[in-house]
Amino acid sequence: MTILALLLVLVYGLCLSFIFCYSLIQVHLTYLYLRCQATKHRPINPSLLLTPEELPRVTIQLPIYNERYVVERLIDAVAAFNYPANKLQIQVLDDSDDETVTLIAAKVAHYQAKGLDITHVKRPSRTGFKAGALQYGLTTATGEFIAIFDADFLPEPDFLHQTLRQFNHPRVGVVQTRWEHLNSHYSLLTKLQAFGLNAHFTIEQTGRSCGHFFINFNGTGGIWRKTCIQDAGGWQADTLTEDLDLSYRAQLRNWEFRYLEQVTAPAELPATMPAVKSQQFRWTKGAAETARKNLGKVLRSDQPLLTKVHAIFHLGNSSIFVCVFLSAVLSLPLLLIREHWTPYFYLFKSGSLFLISLVGLVLFYWTAYRQTSKNRSVSIFTFFPRFLWFLTFSLGLSLHNALAVLEGYLGIKTPFVRTPKFNLRTPADSWQNNAYQTASINLLTILEGLLALYFLAGIILAFYFRDYGLLPFYTMLMLGFGGVFFLTLKHSR
């Protein structure tokens, strides 16, 4: 029993140590972000402005799979780009097998009649999913640069002018822009997603860029130099995050990536829990797969030590869900052990790492929240409720995401599952009766419900032993797993 108890404490301490190191990395990125603010709003260098004659030929790729609700508005938005028609090619890479095909065909014919170079590209099979579609389109792409937009995006007409001026050096391979959210106020679920994504698209991307660390193309809302894609080995479908994979392969080939926080690409957030889960699964498992594929190459490269450290936590950031879930589940038996295992009480002091980590995360998300709020005088009193709900929401997804991460590290392959989009702009819009509504009530859903009860028991034990240190943690875990369980049931009807 003593050996088992010691083992549990050691695993618990290792998980908290990883969370602590992760929070230190986030604090460092926050520091880099704040340091870079002084240069962010400098006037545009006249040498970066392109004359009409200097504008390069651009291919816009629109990878589509069953997007009947949003595909028409995407094509309309791209067709409205204020860019010379004789230097623009649009590829609608359509893998759909529903009425989306007919909608695309009609739109393409409409803009072809207006003289636009737009093609409806249908592959023989959906091999390689999105990565396969992008690589297939690349073979007939005539542009020197390749802009990519997912189906739910609505780029501004001047998008190309704002991004292309950054390719002022032949080794600049990618320019990525910040995502904005068309429906962030649709529900509490979309508000919390926006809260988390805003931190990535401000602090993380800008901080990594300013620190000259590896950053990533986010799969959409950015533009590639075609020769960069080709030099890095092209799009490959052996991970679920083909964008992150190609980003690392390109940067290992010494291509430069630039991130533009001030240029935005609006898009739609998933509005149902099954849709959120499918997106989270793809992102977290794909990151683990990409780490499995590329992290060794990074560590063996001649990159600076600090760059390698940041790459470890960049590629391995989804592992945070494994550590959070294990530390949460183990905290209950450790609560019992602590009452009867006094000789090694000092080992439990590792729990203080969680509080220190929390302070770092508060600083990270507070900085992002202030930076992305339209009202720059936002109060800490409006931030903390949003932060606590976000933390609760993340805890509730920890089992789901931890399983995805483990599958990624173990090399278990699963197909690319798209995140359905419903064209929801206002709270009056409804996702119900949508053709892409997915049912996801399974064993995992049941386990999430049981975990809500498990942490309810933790609350009871905290009062029983009069040990209230983890009571807020247990409360958030109970609400998080209970909320994910409830919304999964509600949104799967």
Side-chain angles (χ1 to χ4, degrees):
M1 178 63 184
T2 302
I3 295 177
L4 178 60
L6 180 60
L7 180 62
L8 291 178
V9 173
L10 288 176
V11 172
Y12 182 70
L14 287 173
C15 289
L16 290 182
S17 298
F18 182 86
I19 295 171
F20 173 70
C21 292
Y22 172 82
S23 71
L24 290 182
I25 291 293
Q26 302 304 87
V27 169
H28 185 229
L29 290 174
T30 305
Y31 161 74
L32 292 172
Y33 176 83
L34 294 173
R35 191 183 72 178
C36 288
Q37 291 307 293
T39 61
K40 189 178 72 170
H41 297 294
R42 285 178 179 173
I44 296 174
N45 187 333
S47 66
L48 298 182
L49 298 176
L50 299 173
T51 65
E53 294 74 23
E54 294 174 321
L55 291 175
R57 185 162 179 81
V58 176
T59 295
I60 300 175
Q61 292 186 325
L62 310 177
I64 304 295
Y65 176 67
N66 293 354
E67 298 286 4
R68 69 178 73 174
Y69 300 109
V70 294
V71 68
E72 291 178 295
R73 71 179 190 183
L74 169 66
I75 296 174
D76 287 337
V78 171
F81 276 5
N82 56 2
Y83 203 79
N86 64 332
K87 295 187 176 184
L88 188 65
Q89 176 195 31
I90 302 172
Q91 294 179 329
V92 186
L93 307 174
D94 183 20
D95 284 345
S96 302
D97 55 17
D98 68 355
E99 69 181 67
T100 305
V101 177
T102 304
L103 296 174
I104 292 174
K107 276 290 179 183
V108 168
H110 170 74
Y111 285 112
Q112 283 177 340
K114 291 191 170 187
L116 205 59
D117 182 3
I118 180 171
T119 55
H120 187 181
V121 182
K122 292 289 293 181
R123 296 191 289 159
S125 67
R126 201 179 168 223
T127 304
F129 306 104
K130 180 180 177 181
L134 294 171
Q135 187 65 24
Y136 185 84
L138 199 65
T139 61
T140 55
T142 59
E144 178 185 350
F145 296 94
I146 312 293
I148 301 172
F149 300 100
D150 282 351
D152 56 309
F153 274 68
L154 284 178
E156 298 294 335
D158 63 344
F159 180 90
L160 294 179
H161 288 282
Q162 294 191 75
T163 52
L164 287 171
R165 61 171 64 120
Q166 294 296 324
F167 289 93
N168 61 329
H169 188 280
R171 294 305 295 176
V172 176
V174 172
V175 171
Q176 174 67 52
T177 65
R178 177 168 61 90
W179 293 4
E180 277 198 334
H181 318 294
L182 297 168
N183 61 332
S184 58
H185 296 290
Y186 180 79
S187 66
L188 178 60
L189 188 60
T190 57
K191 290 177 182 178
L192 297 180
Q193 291 175 78
F195 182 87
L197 285 171
N198 286 344
H200 168 69
F201 281 101
T202 52
I203 310 301
E204 288 187 332
Q205 287 287 65
T206 304
R208 291 187 184 118
S209 180
C210 291
H212 304 290
F213 306 135
F214 287 93
I215 68 171
N216 61 288
F217 173 66
N218 292 105
T220 176
I223 185 166
W224 286 79
R225 191 186 296 271
K226 184 179 178 180
T227 52
C228 174
I229 299 175
Q230 295 168 329
D231 180 65
W235 296 101
Q236 298 175 7
D238 53 351
T239 74
L240 292 178
T241 47
E242 70 290 323
D243 47 2
L244 180 61
D245 171 40
L246 182 56
S247 296
Y248 265 77
R249 286 189 281 116
Q251 287 167 105
L252 284 169
R253 298 280 297 171
N254 295 318
W255 286 95
E256 180 184 346
F257 281 34
R258 292 185 178 177
Y259 178 67
L260 303 181
E261 182 189 352
Q262 68 274 23
V263 180
T264 61
E268 181 180 326
L269 293 164
T272 67
M273 185 56 71
V276 171
K277 282 184 169 181
S278 70
Q279 186 179 74
Q280 288 284 312
F281 182 89
R282 189 173 69 252
W283 287 352
T284 52
K285 180 176 181 177
E289 290 176 326
T290 304
R292 190 171 185 261
K293 178 179 178 180
N294 292 299
L295 186 54
K297 299 174 186 176
V298 174
L299 297 179
R300 292 190 298 270
S301 71
D302 57 357
Q303 297 289 332
L305 177 60
L306 188 57
T307 299
K308 293 179 180 180
V309 170
H310 270 272
I312 290 172
F313 284 92
H314 185 197
L315 288 175
N317 64 0
S318 60
S319 301
I320 195 75
F321 290 104
V322 178
C323 294
V324 166
F325 179 73
L326 285 177
S327 60
V329 171
L330 292 178
S331 64
L332 256 71
L334 290 178
L335 186 63
L336 299 174
I337 292 171
R338 185 161 61 178
E339 294 298 318
H340 305 94
W341 207 48
T342 53
Y344 300 97
F345 181 79
Y346 69 92
L347 290 173
F348 292 97
K349 294 297 184 180
S350 61
S352 60
L353 289 176
F354 177 77
L355 295 177
I356 300 174
S357 303
L358 190 61
V359 173
L361 292 177
V362 167
L363 174 64
F364 172 75
Y365 283 105
W366 164 246
T367 305
Y369 183 73
R370 286 216 46 191
Q371 189 65 30
T372 56
S373 295
K374 293 182 179 179
N375 179 10
R376 296 301 296 277
S377 62
V378 291
S379 166
I380 196 76
F381 297 106
T382 63
F383 162 76
F384 265 109
R386 187 70 56 88
F387 173 72
L388 292 175
W389 274 118
F390 172 75
L391 198 59
T392 299
F393 170 67
S394 300
L395 292 172
L397 284 171
S398 61
L399 172 61
H400 173 273
N401 289 351
L403 292 175
V405 171
L406 292 176
E407 283 192 13
Y409 285 134
L410 293 173
I412 300 173
K413 295 299 181 182
T414 50
F416 184 101
V417 179
R418 58 180 281 279
T419 303
K421 299 300 189 301
F422 305 139
N423 194 10
L424 304 176
R425 301 291 292 271
T426 69
D429 298 328
S430 175
W431 52 265
Q432 295 180 349
N433 300 319
N434 188 290
Y436 303 134
Q437 183 182 343
T438 56
S440 60
I441 300 174
N442 49 30
L443 177 60
L444 176 60
T445 305
I446 296 171
L447 288 175
E448 288 164 344
L450 292 175
L451 282 168
L453 298 177
Y454 178 77
F455 290 110
L456 175 60
I459 295 174
I460 295 172
L461 285 174
F463 280 105
Y464 178 78
F465 290 121
R466 296 183 180 179
D467 188 341
Y468 306 117
L470 290 176
L471 183 59
F473 187 45
Y474 291 148
T475 302
M476 287 192 294
L477 283 162
M478 183 196 70
L479 292 174
F481 280 108
V484 169
F485 172 73
F486 171 75
L487 289 177
T488 302
L489 295 180
K490 179 181 178 182
H491 293 166
S492 298
R493 289 203 298 247

